[in-house]
Amino acid sequence: MLKFKDSYYENEVRDGFFVPAMIKKAWAAELAVMYEVDKICRKHNITYFADWGTMLGAVRHGGFIPWDDDFDIMMQRKDYEHFLRVAENELPEGFAILNMDNTENFWYFLSRIVLRPQICFEEEHLKQFHGFPYIVGIDIFILDTMSSDTQKEKQRDKVIEYILALADSLGTNKLSPEKKESALCRIEQICGVKIEHFQPESELKMKLYQLVRKLMIVFEDDAEGHYAQLIPHVVYYGNAGFPQNYYQDGIRIPFENIEIMLPVRYEAMLQKKYGNYMRLVRNKAGHDYPFFQSQKEQFEEILGYQLPRYKYPGICPRQNTIERSCKYQIRQFLCKFDQIHEEIHKGKHIVENLIEAQGNAIDMGNLIEQVKGENHLVVRELEQYCEVVFELYREASPDYQDISRQKMKELESLKDQIESQVNELVLKRKEAVFLPFSGKYWDSLHSVWEAVAAESDWDVYVVPLPYYYKEYDGSFLDMVYDLSEYPANILLADYENFDLALHHPEAIFIQNPYDEWDSATSIPKEYYSSVIRNYTEQLIYIPYFELEEFDKNNEREYWNMNYYCTVPGVVNADWVFVQSQNMKKVYVDKLTAFAGEETEEIWQKKIVGIGSPLSDDKKAANELDVSVLHEWKQIIRKPDGETKKLLLFYISMSALIQYQEKMIEKIKDAIDVASESKEEAVFVWKEDPLISLNGEAIAKAIGKELYEEYQGLRTKITDGQTMIYAECVEDDVLVGVCDGYYGVPSALGNKFQVSHKPIMICDLE
């Protein structure tokens, strides 16, 4: 069975889109199904290819499209039928194949492979399949042959459409008995078949669907006909499909943590389906999102109650914890000093009061050391105070309790000095505590920490929290405590020895808003926002992520706010800093819908569109990129010390296969331009990693001779004669250091566009 690291299930932002943990679990369950399907196909030499959004996601994202949650593959009819014959015995126990032949009210011309055909909250199932209880699987679409005769294809499509219209009207009272009889007779005449007219309508509908399936294969021997998914894309939308040779060869390509098959001509297919397929378009796909929400609602209806979820608790007053705070206790110590000194002045119980004064000073010093650290100036003054108390104590006796007036004045002076220093160095100073829960998200707090730390009257503490991955039942797994991921210049406090109640800081900054309501991770329960809000007057939540801007009309983005907006940290915080005024509006809309119209004013005051600290750190990150590429120094520097322009040149495997000689000519042109302009600019060559992984498939697709010519050009470049070879340099670094992009459409090109850097696309048509 396919295994996943616990980190896979974490909430994640991909391409500016928030992917919640529950979606990640759905993905994992789908990948588990695909892993088994792929294994069966390889064992039995069955050809399949990713289709639609799965194909697009594999090429553009290396996995799922962030705003999609389904998995589609396609098979030619013969492979599809072969798969159905062997899969029933090959699939793991509990898996099921759903299609119209075995599943009631399943009226699709495809098969769906699922982990289990019903919602399952059984312990073993949840433990094995990522804590995901809902029906989940992959769809296998069927590729049939279109007629190479356009007129014949149109005739077949009309017949299929007519039969399906009749079949889908059965049982709806939309068709009179006379019209139904007439339609059946017409179908018999057109198709040359005999249909039992008076059988139950459910059986008649199945017979009609089976007739459509026979019509779908009538042109299977047409060697010139395109392959296509006939229903709905050809019959209803008039799509032309793709030539059969597009499906002759495939390549394996990474998809999340597995590999799947793509046709080698995937670029041509994606261009025809989506146009500029590398452009990120977050339009609504063809199904509800998330797909499991309707299952959840139906299940709750059967149960008669809602499954656990976070609900708005109303306005909850803070608990009064001020008496536990350091400052409150220090004020009590100061009051006690005044009382003791007054008693000594009156000559009452001098020995007892001196003993009490020393104990008061020791306790106060210990408290200040605990909160402000050892060797604090006030602690040293308290130590001097104790020395004078001890000298006075030696002079005093039970019989004669008179003491030195001079030493008493010295003690009084020390008391006044301590009170003054405590007031200035402790009581008047403000404290801010930052509670990051993972070093990888520190960037979202760094600039705020820097700004607060620069204030002369603030003491700032960074207290990294550990976090735990959760088991399917919510219990905690191993603790993750990644202190090494924080910058070395930041002093980190130990969360186990840091007493929030004692510090009672003026401000606490948090970046984990979920409390117990995240399905994948948790921080220690004593640091939930519902708890720590009682230890500060200002609880401030700053999201650890930055999103692409959207509004409430973006249905999927708006839905996913259920996982990070309508959560305890946002509700319990006094201030929530979001990335923009637009995002403030969306937060307010979502929270008002969640908590009720009467709460809108609360959110209007609480949510602040101040900007994301992540934007502040991007500038600094770019400055570091050049140092990462230090080995280029001799090539990119002009004699006067200035840096030459850097232009990234990128080609993809699919472009090489699709355009062949034209792509080779573009590479030659780029080499020539690079050579001519080397005094002012340097070309940086970045090759699609799939090219080196699929040499055999490429050679087969474009011919051995042309592939060898490409290899020669590649060798010329990698030898460093004309360009910098950037095989191992991360894409984000290349975007940071390069001044522009030249090449074929790609995800890397999209990153340049987002960074507002010029992009030039090769003209290969």
Side-chain angles (χ1 to χ4, degrees):
M1 191 61 66
L2 184 63
K3 301 294 183 183
F4 292 82
K5 293 181 179 179
D6 291 328
S7 58
Y8 183 79
Y9 309 113
E10 289 185 38
N11 300 303
E12 182 182 359
V13 173
R14 294 190 182 185
D15 294 308
F17 184 89
F18 187 91
V19 185
M22 200 61 185
I23 295 290
K24 299 290 284 294
K25 291 184 176 185
W27 286 0
E30 289 175 315
L31 291 168
V33 176
M34 187 60 227
Y35 177 78
E36 298 298 332
V37 169
D38 178 77
K39 191 161 61 173
I40 293 170
C41 289
R42 282 184 288 150
K43 177 179 177 180
H44 293 276
N45 198 29
I46 296 170
T47 300
Y48 77 89
F49 300 112
D51 201 7
W52 296 105
T54 305
M55 181 194 293
L56 177 59
V59 174
R60 194 172 69 187
H61 304 276
F64 287 97
I65 297 173
W67 40 93
D68 201 5
D69 61 349
D70 62 355
F71 201 111
D72 301 326
I73 64 173
M74 54 182 166
M75 294 180 182
Q76 296 174 42
R77 173 73 63 175
K78 60 180 177 58
D79 286 305
Y80 172 78
E81 292 176 350
H82 184 190
F83 177 83
L84 293 185
R85 286 194 299 271
V86 301
E88 188 172 351
N89 295 323
E90 296 276 4
L91 287 169
E93 183 179 356
F95 280 57
I97 304 172
L98 309 180
N99 52 43
M100 68 173 66
D101 293 320
N102 62 19
T103 306
E104 187 177 355
N105 294 320
F106 191 104
W107 301 109
Y108 307 101
F109 291 94
L110 57 86
S111 283
R112 184 166 294 147
I113 316 301
V114 297
L115 286 175
R116 199 175 180 123
Q118 65 274 329
I119 296 173
C120 183
F121 280 88
E122 293 176 6
E123 179 179 352
E124 189 56 38
H125 177 83
L126 293 174
K127 193 170 185 178
Q128 190 172 6
F129 296 116
H130 325 291
F132 192 77
Y134 302 107
I135 302 170
V136 63
I138 69 169
D139 288 340
I140 304 178
F141 296 110
I142 310 163
L143 292 172
D144 285 305
T145 309
M146 300 174 65
S147 174
S148 56
D149 185 322
T150 305
Q151 192 58 37
K152 287 183 179 180
E153 183 59 46
K154 286 182 178 179
Q155 289 174 351
R156 175 176 68 169
D157 297 343
K158 287 182 179 178
V159 173
I160 288 176
E161 188 174 5
Y162 185 79
I163 296 172
L164 290 177
L166 173 61
D168 293 340
S169 70
L170 297 175
T172 64
N173 297 320
K174 292 180 179 179
L175 203 65
S176 67
E178 294 79 12
K179 288 185 176 180
K180 170 186 169 184
E181 180 67 18
S182 174
L184 287 171
C185 291
R186 185 181 179 194
I187 291 169
E188 288 178 322
Q189 183 181 9
I190 294 172
C191 299
V193 297
K194 183 63 179 175
I195 302 172
E196 173 58 55
H197 292 204
F198 301 104
Q199 59 186 306
E201 290 197 330
S202 60
E203 295 180 15
L204 178 58
K205 182 174 182 178
M206 176 57 73
K207 295 293 184 184
L208 292 173
Y209 266 74
Q210 290 171 345
L211 176 58
V212 168
R213 280 199 298 204
K214 291 180 181 179
L215 291 174
M216 293 169 77
I217 63 172
V218 296
F219 301 124
E220 63 180 346
D221 295 328
D222 189 338
E224 301 299 320
H226 286 190
Y227 285 150
Q229 183 190 345
L230 295 184
I231 300 172
H233 302 294
V234 176
V235 172
Y236 294 116
Y237 306 141
N239 289 0
F242 293 99
Q244 294 184 25
N245 63 5
Y246 275 41
Y247 300 96
Q248 286 178 349
D249 298 301
I251 59 167
R252 296 188 69 80
I253 186 172
F255 190 98
E256 301 293 335
N257 64 337
I258 65 171
E259 287 186 346
I260 59 174
M261 291 295 297
L262 259 64
V264 291
R265 298 181 183 273
Y266 64 81
E267 181 160 325
M269 298 174 75
L270 289 172
Q271 284 178 342
K272 185 174 179 180
K273 289 182 177 185
Y274 300 106
N276 180 8
Y277 63 89
M278 283 297 176
R279 184 168 62 93
L280 300 180
V281 179
R282 298 179 187 176
N283 57 334
K284 183 178 179 181
H287 63 84
D288 293 335
Y289 178 90
F291 73 84
F292 54 82
Q293 182 59 23
S294 59
Q295 295 184 46
K296 181 180 179 182
E297 291 169 357
Q298 292 168 11
F299 187 66
E300 289 177 333
E301 189 174 338
I302 294 170
L303 291 175
Y305 59 85
Q306 288 186 339
L307 294 172
R309 67 186 68 181
Y310 179 65
K311 297 179 180 178
Y312 180 58
I315 299 175
C316 302
R318 281 179 163 86
Q319 296 177 16
N320 182 11
T321 62
I322 195 67
E323 292 185 5
R324 295 172 58 187
S325 72
C326 169
K327 289 182 179 180
Y328 180 88
Q329 293 182 54
I330 284 175
R331 290 189 177 96
Q332 301 307 304
F333 285 129
L334 293 177
C335 288
K336 192 169 184 180
F337 273 137
D338 289 338
Q339 294 169 2
I340 291 170
H341 277 250
E342 185 176 348
E343 290 292 304
I344 292 174
H345 280 303
K346 292 178 180 178
K348 295 181 178 179
H349 309 292
I350 292 177
V351 172
E352 292 84 348
N353 278 309
L354 287 172
I355 293 172
E356 193 167 0
Q358 187 173 46
N360 195 56
I362 292 171
D363 291 342
M364 184 175 174
N366 289 337
L367 177 63
I368 291 174
E369 275 194 337
Q370 182 180 350
V371 175
K372 296 296 183 181
E374 296 180 0
N375 299 318
H376 192 275
L377 181 59
V378 173
V379 174
R380 293 201 297 271
E381 294 289 341
L382 286 166
E383 289 171 350
Q384 292 181 34
Y385 178 90
C386 287
E387 289 176 5
V388 175
V389 167
F390 181 69
E391 292 175 4
L392 287 167
Y393 174 79
R394 286 193 305 177
E395 293 180 2
S397 69
D399 299 327
Y400 181 69
Q401 296 190 347
D402 193 15
I403 59 176
S404 166
R405 293 181 179 275
Q406 183 177 351
K407 282 193 172 59
M408 193 61 219
K409 284 183 179 181
E410 183 180 350
L411 189 66
E412 193 70 30
S413 176
L414 280 171
K415 181 184 79 75
D416 293 341
Q417 190 171 336
I418 288 168
E419 289 178 346
S420 175
Q421 289 180 345
V422 165
N423 193 49
E424 291 298 321
L425 301 180
V426 180
L427 298 180
K428 283 187 177 181
R429 293 192 64 77
K430 301 173 184 177
E431 285 190 2
V433 175
F434 289 78
L435 298 176
F437 76 100
S438 175
K440 62 187 174 185
Y441 300 130
W442 171 249
D443 285 353
S444 69
L445 290 177
H446 181 81
S447 62
V448 180
W449 165 81
E450 213 168 36
V452 179
E455 296 293 325
S456 60
D457 57 342
W458 282 78
D459 293 328
V460 180
Y461 302 89
V462 178
V463 187
L465 301 178
Y467 61 96
Y468 303 85
Y469 291 114
K470 285 183 174 180
E471 185 59 275
Y472 69 92
D473 59 359
S475 59
F476 289 1
L477 298 172
D478 293 338
M479 182 180 76
V480 181
Y481 198 32
D482 53 356
L483 297 182
S484 62
E485 294 193 36
Y486 291 87
N489 65 324
I490 298 176
L491 183 63
L492 305 177
D494 181 3
Y495 82 100
E496 290 186 300
N497 296 317
F498 192 90
D499 191 329
L500 274 177
L502 196 60
H503 280 263
H504 205 93
E506 277 70 20
I508 295 178
F509 293 85
I510 62 171
Q511 57 176 181
N512 184 309
Y514 310 113
D515 287 7
E516 69 269 38
W517 292 101
D518 182 58
S519 63
T521 64
S522 179
I523 56 176
K525 295 177 180 179
E526 59 268 27
Y527 285 93
Y528 286 171
S529 64
S530 57
V531 176
I532 65 175
R533 68 187 294 265
N534 297 307
Y535 303 135
T536 183
E537 301 308 312
Q538 301 290 328
L539 182 63
I540 302 166
Y541 164 53
I542 300 178
Y544 58 90
F545 50 83
E546 186 175 8
L547 304 174
E548 190 75 20
E549 294 287 332
F550 65 90
D551 60 35
K552 65 186 300 182
N553 294 318
N554 296 84
E555 295 179 13
R556 299 191 172 196
E557 288 92 333
Y558 194 67
W559 170 264
N560 282 347
M561 293 184 79
N562 292 320
Y563 295 99
Y564 65 83
C565 174
T566 55
V567 290
V570 175
V571 171
N572 291 324
D574 298 287
W575 303 100
V576 177
F577 294 166
V578 298
Q579 66 192 52
S580 67
Q581 286 297 317
N582 170 67
M583 199 59 75
K584 169 180 176 172
K585 183 179 185 305
V586 184
Y587 264 72
V588 171
D589 287 343
K590 188 72 176 181
L591 288 161
T592 301
F594 167 67
E597 293 294 329
E598 68 281 2
T599 66
E600 180 178 358
E601 187 176 351
I602 296 173
W603 315 122
Q604 288 285 4
K605 292 179 179 178
K606 176 182 294 193
I607 312 298
V608 182
I610 200 171
S612 171
L614 287 168
S615 299
D616 300 330
D617 273 9
K618 284 177 183 175
K619 299 172 185 175
N622 287 339
E623 293 171 2
L624 297 174
D625 291 338
V626 175
S627 65
V628 175
L629 307 176
H630 183 70
E631 65 269 23
W632 296 2
K633 184 177 179 180
Q634 299 302 318
I635 303 173
I636 65 177
R637 291 294 173 89
K638 296 180 182 179
D640 61 5
E642 290 188 10
T643 302
K644 299 177 184 178
K645 293 292 184 182
L646 292 176
L647 183 65
L648 185 77
F649 178 60
Y650 180 87
I651 70 165
S652 67
M653 186 194 79
S654 57
L656 183 59
I657 290 173
Q658 183 175 350
Y659 297 109
Q660 302 187 12
E661 291 89 351
K662 288 183 179 180
M663 191 72 251
I664 295 295
E665 290 304 314
K666 288 295 180 184
I667 296 172
K668 291 178 180 178
D669 290 345
I671 291 174
D672 290 342
V673 173
S675 179
E676 293 169 3
S677 59
K678 61 183 179 181
E679 299 302 322
E680 295 296 326
V682 176
F683 276 57
V684 179
W685 164 279
K686 179 70 172 180
E687 183 184 59
D688 182 350
L690 292 175
I691 292 178
S692 60
L693 294 174
N694 294 280
E696 186 176 333
I698 297 171
K700 184 177 180 181
I702 70 175
K704 183 178 179 182
E705 185 177 338
L706 195 62
Y707 181 59
E708 288 177 350
E709 184 176 3
Y710 169 77
Q711 287 183 305
L713 293 172
R714 182 178 181 274
T715 300
K716 184 176 181 180
I717 291 168
T718 56
D719 284 347
Q721 297 175 16
T722 54
M723 296 185 186
I724 293 175
Y725 184 54
E727 180 185 25
C728 299
V729 182
E730 295 291 335
D731 287 356
D732 289 340
V733 174
L734 290 171
V735 175
V737 300
C738 291
D739 299 288
Y741 175 94
Y742 175 60
V744 299
S746 67
L748 182 53
N750 285 346
K751 292 184 178 183
F752 275 81
Q753 187 173 10
V754 170
S755 299
H756 306 291
K757 292 188 175 183
I759 296 178
M760 294 166 283
I761 301 300
C762 295
D763 182 10
L764 293 165
E765 296 297 338

